[in-house]
Amino acid sequence: MDQDRQWLINCLNASLDPSHQIRTFAETSLQQASLQPAVLLKQFIRKHWDEDEEGFEHPVVLSNEKASIRGLLLASLDDPFKKICTAVSMAVSAIAQYDWPDDWPELVPFLLNLINDQTKLNAVHGALRCLSLLSSDMDDKMVPNLVPVLFPCLHTIVSSPQIYDKSLRSKALSIVYNCTSMVGAMSGVYKTETTALMLPMLQPWMEQFSSILKHPVPSEDPDDWSIRMEYGGISVIVGPLWHTFVSSLEVYVRSSIEGVEDSYDGRYDSDGAEKSLESFVIQVVMNNVKELVYYTIGFLQMTEQQVHTWSLDANQYVADEDDNTYSCRVSGALLLEEIIASCGMEGIDAVIDSVKRRISESQQAKDTGSPGWWRLREATLFALASVSEQLLEAEVSGPTVGAMLDQVLTDDMAIVNFNRMSLIIPFYRPPPVKVGACRALSQLLPDATTGIIQHHAMDLFSSLIDLLKNASDETMHLVLETLQAAVKAGYEISASIEPVISPIMLNMWASHVSDPFISIDALEVLEVIKKAPGCIHPLVSRVLPYIGPILSNPQQQPDGLVAGSLDLVTMLVKNAPIDVVKAVYQVSFDSVVRIVLQSDDHSEMQNATQCLAALVSGGKQDMLAWSGDSGFTMRSLLDVASRLLDPDLESSGSLFVGSYILQLILHLPSQMAQHIRDLVTALIRRMQSSQIAGLKSSLLLIFARLVHMSVPHVEQFIDLLVSIPAEGHRNSFSYVMEIQGAYQIKVTTTALALLLLTRHVELGNVNVQGHLIKSDTGITTRSRAKIIPDQWTVMPLPAKILAILADALLEIQEQVDGDNEDSDWEEVHNEDDNFLYSADAKSHNRPTYEYLDAMAKAFNEDQDDDYEDDLLSGTDPLNEINLVNFLFESLAKFSESDRPFFEHLYQSLTKPQQNAIELVLRRRAM
């Protein structure tokens, strides 16, 4: 890098310095640099050349002045100093954007004369630089006129290495690339014309390309690499290109990986284009799949610079790999992914075959004592990890990948076990190799067979635990992720390793409990252990003696430990056997209740609420007898509900009260029935004081659930709501009806349908917000919105409920359309927006009812995926409702029970809503 570029980089770095003095000095230096003549000229052209240009400033350059400037610039293109020549070229290109070809027709003829003069190579450089900039910005009208006269001149330069140096020939090839790219874009519309244009020139250029690429890649010659990078990829030169790719690996290993030759990293030519070997390698692509994959894995090896950087800071390895930093490793991994995507099983076979070859080679190097044997092993694991998802998606047989994994683990524990490796390579212990191996193992272990894990279990887990002890915060995530995958893969042997891993994970969790990322990772490992056969009871036995004292004395604990302990207890209780739930209850119930009632820490209150909800869900009616005083237990549960529903409590503390109360209603219905009036009153007050929309929504869900529980006496529940006052509203029923996650949609929508079927007189007494009234005053600005707020229609509650039910059908239909890649949106829609009919139907008079089944299936699948509270989805029988069928039956019943009333409401619906209802009635009639 020359001094000027180094100076610029230093100034830019200094401009970010936290020191005000250093930052100010750097900014002043950059400002002074902007006053250099070449910079000033470019700024001048941008600001004063064209009055229509954005950023134009007066005065405009006069026509005679423009002609004079253009002439002076062209005369300076042969300056012997390349920096000046480049600056002049950029100025010429900037003016050409405005004046060429109309106001500067002599520009291209002048440049062609320059490049044809073999006696003035400085002028050739300046002209090529100008043409390179111009060719990258030409349109489909300019290229056809320029190519016939320009390409012969460029061919002369490219084919004359004895006259023109490699940098000039490379620049000529870049112009060819720019022009042919535009011709290629034009070929879609002007195929005949572009073929006639290019065909006469194709043969000589193909011969020239082949001549350039047929020689092996030389060492320490970045100009030669630059020429090869301009290749466009035509079949005539596939053989020479492959020769280029293969021969470049040897150069890459010597220069970049081993560092014994110059790789020219960070070097640039006079135009600012990178000249490094790595930038050349990234450009090269070939069709010989097996050999391509084999050599690509070689390019994935860590370079000497990467080993140095990542050995100093393994965190940087994680950051670089996650950020996809531009490198041969990243480009090679992307190439492997593309090979599999494009070649299918042929690509997968090529990867597996190449991995086996490379593993064997690395083992041979290891056996011979080569100190760098681990590089190829790590690159092979990196390759496997990079395409692991595609291997699994393609359903590659477990034994195939498993056999490779077994071989790696047998050889050296996948480079994770450095205790064993240290005997062989005492000086090569780069941390990123360990981290990279963890990344690969975490992705490969799910596809490994149990026998492989059993065979290597203790070595694998002990190696990972050793890594865990010395891992940094950032790399710890990968180690924990690998542990989690290893436990999952070895479920059958988990009981034997639980005594080893659980204590370490608990210590890891406790020491990082204030770090949400690491503590969650550790908790997930413990959860996987809990789910493994024979592990939950010993794990709970380890946890409870430790957790009990923490929850009993919350005020004496470090920050985050109480909230984290509650998370741990909740994890243990969810989906646990009844005896485990009872054991946890006996140790923690009273303490958790006291935390809710006494703590002011919102995170503790939230986690305690979720913990109690899990205990109720797991213990059900049995829980009331565990303390020996069922009345005391029930009062404790109600006291918790009372505090969480206190309207004066900050909303954040009550965030999960909805889930808690739903568990009480679902699993202790007879005990809760006598408190329903008090509960509804408290719910209304909490909703009205809530500042968090999510809390209000979760409480609304409770009312929907109570509607279901009141069947077949829904009218009585409406009467109850009517009898309870609500501040600012007619009554509680009116308030709940005026308030507007898939499980929630299912429960609230079906509850509204049940309310509508009652035809209770109170429904007609409630008016709610209807449709937004469109303004005819033009565009709504912020100031106008303040003066004229949005206005809405008012509609009776029954009409609103019917509209909501119709909208629910339309939303489900949209999910079906979103999942159906073969559907044609235009075909589904007709002029009346009646898109509930199948696109395949011959007539819009009859719907396709298979389509309705698809609607129901799509909604059920979607709600299972998106549902956040697995505690509710697994316990509430309403979750088994088929929403589409429920709506069909309810709407059909409603239309039959009071036809005139139904017709009256039907007229208030939009056309799409009416079509949705009509489809339901047609299905009912058939």
Side-chain angles (χ1 to χ4, degrees), residues 38-236:
V39 179
L40 286 175
L41 178 58
K42 190 173 181 181
Q43 293 177 348
F44 175 81
I45 294 170
R46 188 177 69 251
K47 292 181 180 180
H48 301 286
W49 203 267
D50 190 339
E51 292 182 279
D52 296 329
E53 180 70 10
E54 183 179 356
F56 169 78
E57 297 178 6
H58 286 285
V60 67
V61 183
L62 300 178
S63 297
N64 61 328
E65 294 173 337
K66 289 182 178 180
S68 177
I69 293 173
R70 290 194 295 256
L72 290 171
L73 287 172
L74 292 179
S76 303
L77 280 173
D78 63 348
D79 195 284
F81 294 98
K82 287 190 175 181
K83 290 182 181 178
I84 295 178
C85 184
T86 297
V88 171
S89 300
M90 295 178 68
V92 170
S93 176
I95 294 175
Q97 293 180 5
Y98 304 116
D99 294 1
W100 180 72
D102 296 337
D103 297 331
W104 202 1
E106 68 274 17
L107 172 60
V108 171
F110 181 86
L111 296 176
L112 291 177
N113 287 332
L114 288 184
I115 64 175
N116 285 325
D117 189 346
Q118 299 179 358
T119 64
K120 298 180 179 179
L121 295 184
N122 290 329
V124 174
H125 176 270
L128 287 175
R129 178 63 174 145
C130 282
L131 287 169
S132 177
L133 294 170
L134 291 175
S135 62
S136 63
D137 200 34
M138 288 189 296
D139 59 26
D140 56 357
K141 295 181 180 179
M142 302 175 186
V143 171
N145 296 324
L146 183 61
V147 165
V149 294
L150 177 60
F151 271 36
C153 301
L154 297 176
H155 187 271
T156 299
I157 294 174
V158 173
S159 61
S160 305
Q162 70 279 10
I163 301 175
Y164 302 99
D165 63 25
K166 291 174 180 176
S167 64
L168 290 178
R169 294 164 63 211
S170 177
K171 186 59 62 181
L173 283 171
S174 73
I175 299 171
V176 173
Y177 175 81
N178 289 339
C179 292
T180 53
S181 295
M182 175 53 69
V183 172
M186 294 167 55
S187 64
V189 179
Y190 305 105
K191 185 174 183 179
T192 302
E193 293 84 348
T194 54
T195 300
L197 176 67
M198 296 301 297
L199 194 57
M201 294 177 283
L202 196 59
Q203 185 60 34
W205 276 109
M206 291 302 97
E207 293 175 355
Q208 192 57 45
F209 286 148
S210 180
S211 175
I212 292 171
L213 295 175
K214 70 181 180 181
H215 301 289
V217 176
S219 298
E220 301 188 359
D221 191 351
D223 290 328
D224 180 87
W225 306 338
S226 297
I227 291 178
R228 295 169 188 261
M229 275 191 278
E230 303 300 340
Y231 158 68
I234 303 177
S235 60
V236 174

Side-chain angles (χ1 to χ4, degrees), residues 477 480-485 487-488 491 501 505-506 508-509 516-532 539 567-568 571:
H477 165 73
L480 290 171
E481 185 180 18
T482 309
L483 265 173
Q484 183 177 340
V487 175
K488 284 183 178 178
Y491 258 10
I501 298 181
M505 285 297 97
L506 288 170
M508 177 67 60
W509 167 82
F517 299 104
I518 296 178
S519 62
I520 289 174
D521 287 337
L523 201 62
E524 288 178 349
V525 176
L526 289 170
E527 185 171 14
V528 172
I529 295 173
K530 182 198 87 169
K531 293 179 180 178
L539 177 60
D567 267 343
L568 177 58
M571 181 274 290

Side-chain angles (χ1 to χ4, degrees), residues 362-643:
S362 70
Q363 185 63 35
Q364 292 174 9
K366 176 184 175 183
D367 294 340
T368 59
S370 173
W373 69 268
W374 57 268
R375 294 179 189 264
L376 193 54
R377 182 68 58 86
E378 187 277 338
T380 306
L381 288 174
F382 179 74
L384 269 177
S386 300
V387 298
S388 59
E389 289 187 10
Q390 290 171 291
L391 294 178
L392 295 177
E393 288 174 2
E395 297 183 350
V396 177
S397 61
T400 303
V401 177
M404 292 186 294
L405 190 60
D406 189 32
Q407 180 181 350
V408 173
L409 292 172
T410 300
D411 290 341
D412 52 34
M413 284 308 301
I415 317 176
V416 177
N417 190 346
F418 267 72
N419 292 328
R420 185 180 302 173
M421 283 180 55
S422 62
L423 300 176
I424 302 174
I425 44 174
F427 302 109
Y428 276 84
R429 298 180 54 162
V433 180
K434 306 176 188 179
V435 177
C438 281
R439 184 189 296 275
L441 284 171
S442 68
Q443 293 168 301
L444 295 173
L445 281 170
D447 199 42
T449 60
T450 303
I452 296 173
I453 303 301
Q454 288 178 341
H455 187 237
H456 303 286
M458 295 313 298
D459 282 341
L460 176 59
F461 285 112
S462 62
S463 299
L464 290 171
I465 290 169
D466 286 342
L467 272 182
L468 197 61
K469 293 176 182 177
N470 301 309
S472 63
D473 287 353
E474 190 161 4
T475 56
M476 194 178 295
H477 165 73
L478 278 176
V479 183
L480 290 171
E481 185 180 18
T482 309
L483 265 173
Q484 183 177 340
V487 175
K488 284 183 178 178
Y491 258 10
E492 286 75 6
I493 61 170
S494 296
S496 63
I497 60 174
E498 186 276 334
V500 178
I501 298 181
S502 292
I504 295 173
M505 285 297 97
L506 288 170
N507 289 332
M508 177 67 60
W509 167 82
S511 59
H512 293 83
V513 72
S514 59
D515 185 322
F517 299 104
I518 296 178
S519 62
I520 289 174
D521 287 337
L523 201 62
E524 288 178 349
V525 176
L526 289 170
E527 185 171 14
V528 172
I529 295 173
K530 182 198 87 169
K531 293 179 180 178
C535 289
I536 187 169
H537 290 90
L539 177 60
V540 171
S541 298
R542 298 179 198 282
V543 171
L544 292 184
Y546 174 77
I547 291 295
I550 294 175
L551 299 181
S552 299
N553 302 282
Q555 295 84 2
Q556 302 174 16
Q557 307 306 325
D559 289 344
L561 184 56
V562 173
S565 299
L566 290 165
D567 267 343
L568 177 58
V569 171
T570 303
M571 181 274 290
L572 293 175
V573 170
K574 283 186 176 180
N575 302 313
I578 190 69
D579 61 322
V580 170
V581 178
K582 182 177 181 180
V584 173
Y585 168 92
Q586 291 173 335
V587 170
S588 65
F589 179 76
D590 291 343
S591 300
V592 176
V593 169
R594 279 197 302 271
I595 290 172
V596 177
L597 297 180
Q598 299 175 6
S599 177
D600 293 323
D601 185 308
H602 289 177
S603 62
E604 292 180 4
M605 294 181 66
Q606 291 171 6
N607 291 3
T609 304
Q610 290 181 306
C611 184
L612 288 173
L615 284 170
V616 173
S617 177
K620 302 179 176 59
Q621 291 282 343
D622 293 344
M623 190 179 76
L624 297 179
W626 288 342
S627 68
D629 186 348
S630 61
F632 173 79
T633 302
M634 192 66 213
R635 285 194 299 275
S636 298
L637 295 172
L638 292 174
D639 287 343
V640 168
S642 179
R643 174 153 200 227

